[in-house]
């Protein structure tokens, strides 16, 4: 039986939500003519992501080695697991030794650590951040919440399986995994990249429609372009 | 001036040495900062790996023409400073393309990259870039004041604007260095150097953890690679400028490496001790003590 609350929510989202600043509007141009602006089409790039083929042979091996030894992590704590990051950058565990560094913006990072549960609201931001990262990019999913929902598996507002929404390279199980586990995860990711298996960004581009359908199923106030360049 | 092919090739070789020394110096300084905070820090070869990775990323986006040109202008600033700087005293080939008025041109190149970067990062459109740019330009304008006063003082003292001649005048022992013959100008310039290198307490342009990374917020991949290459060149070139002006120049590469390291270390040494200023504190600080000392450096020659 549906509760009143759920009914109200459904009623609210019956029409597609669009933020006021993204609505189609008429603007007068400097020369006096009236033009129509559709922010989602005019302000954003509408192109789909493409599969970017790796180079061949020794060159790609060398580049993969460089990518593996220089992992730049996006400083975006998505859940309670982000509390495991500070010990990694401070003297006790010091991940800089292994070439793992923190970067403040998605444009400059290659690794996205999804640290713990993702609420629907955060998922939207996580997708935006992930899509803005330059390819090749990798995702480390931290904690059991990203695997099956963990202690939030029947929550009304969190997702259960992360790899239905964005492709995951390495899962680290535990609630919470300790910093050592996260370091081991970085080690595993390095192995994957060096062996040429870190191609999840291409997988995302290949199965783009499937991922988008899954994302749109759960994010109801979809007021962004389909791919955030 | 000598425009032969040999000279050109040696200048390119010099640029190669300077780039690599700059990267090694930056990783060494990061290790020193890490040791101060009790960590081990990055491996010494990390900057080269980072650079290889940045140049090998597959997807890149652009925000327009100026977005492309920003890093190019920035690189021009660093390379331009290097090109007109006599690196090794007494060597024709290593004195690059220095000429009789090179000091003024080099001071201009110091600012040039910053302006180019401001245009490029502005087109990136990120609010943090705009904050970083406004901070950077206002701070650098005040850094220039004591720096220029010190340079004018040197120009009066040595009666020249040629770096090579200033170095020549300092030869003949430790006590001939500008450090001892004109201590006020040296102090004013060394205080302005703290701001020029952008370490704490004057690191409010990039300001990690505050405005994520300032002007280069939108820069990635090759763009960021060019910016990093430039910062390696620029650091050595700026340290070499101060070495030439105040610390007797260098007669071989080994001496240059030692002296530039110590000059750069001065800013890191201060940086590990003091926390970050706010922009109004930083601007006022530069216009107070360094400027007063710089004015004294000129007054004593009147």
């Amino acid at each position: 039986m549906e509760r009143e609350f759920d009914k109200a929510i459904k009623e609210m989202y019956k029409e597609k939500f669009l933020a006021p600043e993204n609505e189609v509007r008429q603007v007068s141009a400097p020369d006096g003519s009236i033009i129509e602006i559709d922010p989602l089409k005019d302000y954003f790039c509408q192109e789909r992501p493409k599969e970017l083929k790796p180079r061949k042979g020794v060159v790609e091996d060398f580049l993969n080695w460089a990518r593996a030894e220089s992992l730049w992590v996006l400083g975006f704590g998505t859940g309670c697991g982000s509390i495991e990051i500070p010990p990694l950058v401070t003297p006790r565990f010091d991940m800089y030794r292994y070439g793992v560094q923190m970067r403040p913006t998605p444009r400059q990072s290659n690794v996205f650590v999804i640290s713990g549960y993702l609420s629907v609201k955060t998922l939207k931001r996580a997708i935006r951040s992930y899509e803005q990262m330059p390819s090749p990019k990798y995702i480390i999913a931290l904690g059991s919440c990203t695997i099956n929902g963990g202690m939030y598996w029947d929550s009304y507002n969190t997702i259960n399986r992360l790899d239905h929404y964005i492709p995951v390279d390495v899962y680290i199980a535990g609630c919470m995994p300790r910093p050592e586990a996260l370091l081991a995860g970085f080690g595993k990711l390095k192995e994957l990249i060096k062996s040429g298996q870190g191609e999840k960004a291409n997988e995302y581009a290949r199965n783009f429609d499937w991922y988008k359908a899954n994302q749109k199923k759960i994010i109801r106030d979809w007021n962004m372009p389909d791919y955030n360049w | 001036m000598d425009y032969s092919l040999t000279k050109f090739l040696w200048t390119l070789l010099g640029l190669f040495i300077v780039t690599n020394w700059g990267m090694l110096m930056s990783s060494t300084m990061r290790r020193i900062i890490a040791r101060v905070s009790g960590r081990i820090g990055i491996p010494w070869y990390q900057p080269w790996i980072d650079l290889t990775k940045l140049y090998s990323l597959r997807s890149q986006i652009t925000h327009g023409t100026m977005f492309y040109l920003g890093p190019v202008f920035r690189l021009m600033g660093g390379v331009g400073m290097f090109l007109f700087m006599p690196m090794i005293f007494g060597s024709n080939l290593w004195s690059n393309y220095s000429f009789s008025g090179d000091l003024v041109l080099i001071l201009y190149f110091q600012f040039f990259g910053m302006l180019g970067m401001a245009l490029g990062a502005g087109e990136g459109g990120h609010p943090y870039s705009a904050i970083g740019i406004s901070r950077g330009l206002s701070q650098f304008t005040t850094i220039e004041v004591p720096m220029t006063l010190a340079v004018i003082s040197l120009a009066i003292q040595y009666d020249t604007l040629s770096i090579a001649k200033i170095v020549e005048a300092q030869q003949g022992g430790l006590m001939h260095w500008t450090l001892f013959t004109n201590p006020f100008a040296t102090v004013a310039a060394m205080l302005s150097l703290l701001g020029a290198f952008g370490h704490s307490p004057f690191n409010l342009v990039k300001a990690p953890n505050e405005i994520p990374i300032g002007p280069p917020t939108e820069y990635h991949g090759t763009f960021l690679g060019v910016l990093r290459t430039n910062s390696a060149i620029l650091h050595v070139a700026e340290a070499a400028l101060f070495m030439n002006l105040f610390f007797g120049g260098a007669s071989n590469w080994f001496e240059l490496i030692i002296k530039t390291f110590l000059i750069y270390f001065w800013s890191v040494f201060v940086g590990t001790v003091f926390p970050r200023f706010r922009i109004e504190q930083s601007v006022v600080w530069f216009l107070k003590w360094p400027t007063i000392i710089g004015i004294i450096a000129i007054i004593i020659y009147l």
Side-chain angles (χ1 to χ4, degrees), chain B residues 63-265:
Chain B
H63 291 286
T65 320
M66 271 324 288
F67 189 76
Y68 270 110
L69 289 180
V72 177
F73 282 176
R74 194 93 174 99
L75 186 65
M76 264 307 298
V79 174
M81 258 185 99
F82 168 79
L83 276 186
F84 296 102
M85 177 100 60
M87 299 305 277
I88 306 292
F89 171 69
S91 155
N92 175 39
L93 291 171
W94 294 124
S95 63
N96 298 343
Y97 292 99
S98 62
F99 60 99
S100 52
D102 48 5
L103 187 48
V104 178
L105 189 65
I106 281 175
L107 283 185
Y108 167 71
F109 268 123
Q110 231 185 345
F111 209 30
F112 177 79
M114 200 117 190
L115 293 172
M117 189 63 197
L119 291 171
E123 195 166 37
H126 202 283
Y128 287 133
S129 304
I131 297 175
I133 290 163
S134 65
R135 285 179 177 192
L137 290 179
S138 50
Q139 179 178 261
F140 209 82
T141 312
T142 54
I143 292 170
E144 288 277 282
V145 175
M147 181 64 203
T148 314
L149 288 173
V151 166
I152 293 172
S153 172
L154 288 197
I156 303 171
Q157 183 192 354
Y158 294 117
D159 202 19
T160 178
L161 278 172
S162 154
I163 297 179
K165 285 205 177 122
I166 293 178
V167 177
E168 203 180 330
Q170 295 177 65
Q171 299 305 309
L174 193 67
M175 294 313 285
H176 292 182
W177 289 7
T178 317
L179 172 65
F180 297 106
T181 58
N182 192 352
F184 285 107
T186 311
V187 170
M190 288 309 275
L191 291 178
S192 83
L193 173 140
L194 294 177
F197 275 125
H199 274 282
S200 174
F202 304 106
N203 59 348
L204 34 74
V205 180
K206 288 193 175 174
N209 307 340
E210 187 193 341
I211 46 167
I213 195 154
T217 302
E218 279 288 310
Y219 281 108
H220 55 286
T222 320
F223 302 113
L224 194 62
V226 170
L227 289 177
R228 292 201 144 210
T229 315
N230 166 67
S231 79
I233 299 170
L234 195 69
H235 282 158
V236 179
E238 277 193 20
L241 172 69
F242 282 81
M243 174 193 79
N244 283 333
L245 293 184
F246 305 105
F247 301 100
S251 52
N252 54 53
W253 279 104
F254 181 71
E255 198 182 341
L256 180 131
I257 284 173
I258 298 285
K259 282 184 176 173
T260 48
F261 182 86
L262 290 175
I263 291 169
Y264 190 30
F265 182 71

Side-chain angles (χ1 to χ4, degrees), chain A residues 120-134:
Chain A
V120 176
K121 204 173 174 179
T122 320
L123 174 68
K124 191 172 154 188
R125 275 76 186 167
I127 290 166
R128 291 202 77 158
S129 305
Y130 175 71
E131 291 177 347
Q132 285 181 35
M133 284 157 58

Side-chain angles (χ1 to χ4, degrees), chain A residues 52-54 60 62-67 69-70 72 89-91 94 96-99 101 103-105 107-108 110 132-136 199 202 229, chain B residues 30 34 37-43 45-46 49-61 63 209 212-213 216-221 224 228:
Chain A
L52 298 158
K53 293 272 178 259
E60 184 66 14
F62 170 68
L63 295 181
N64 275 338
W65 170 80
R67 284 167 192 147
E69 292 302 324
S70 161
W72 288 7
V89 297
T90 42
D94 187 21
Y96 291 93
R97 284 176 294 168
Y98 307 110
Q101 304 175 48
R103 297 307 290 186
T105 110
R107 291 269 188 243
Q108 299 179 3
N110 315 102
Q132 285 181 35
M133 284 157 58
S135 169
E199 299 293 339
N202 282 340
W229 282 99
Chain B
R30 283 186 65 187
S37 57
R39 292 185 289 114
I40 292 173
I42 56 170
Y45 48 83
Q46 188 71 42
I49 302 181
D50 286 348
L51 212 59
T52 313
K53 187 211 58 182
L54 283 173
Y55 282 124
S56 71
L57 289 178
R58 292 193 199 129
S59 70
Q60 297 195 58
I61 58 117
H63 291 286
N209 307 340
I213 195 154
T217 302
E218 279 288 310
Y219 281 108
H220 55 286
L224 194 62
R228 292 201 144 210

Side-chain angles (χ1 to χ4, degrees), chain A residues 10 32-33 61 75 81 91 96 101 110 117 134-135 142 161 166 179 197:
Chain A
K10 273 196 177 162
S33 59
D61 288 348
Y96 291 93
Q101 304 175 48
N110 315 102
Y117 68 87
S135 169
L142 190 63
R161 273 191 65 174
I166 32 182
Q197 293 174 60

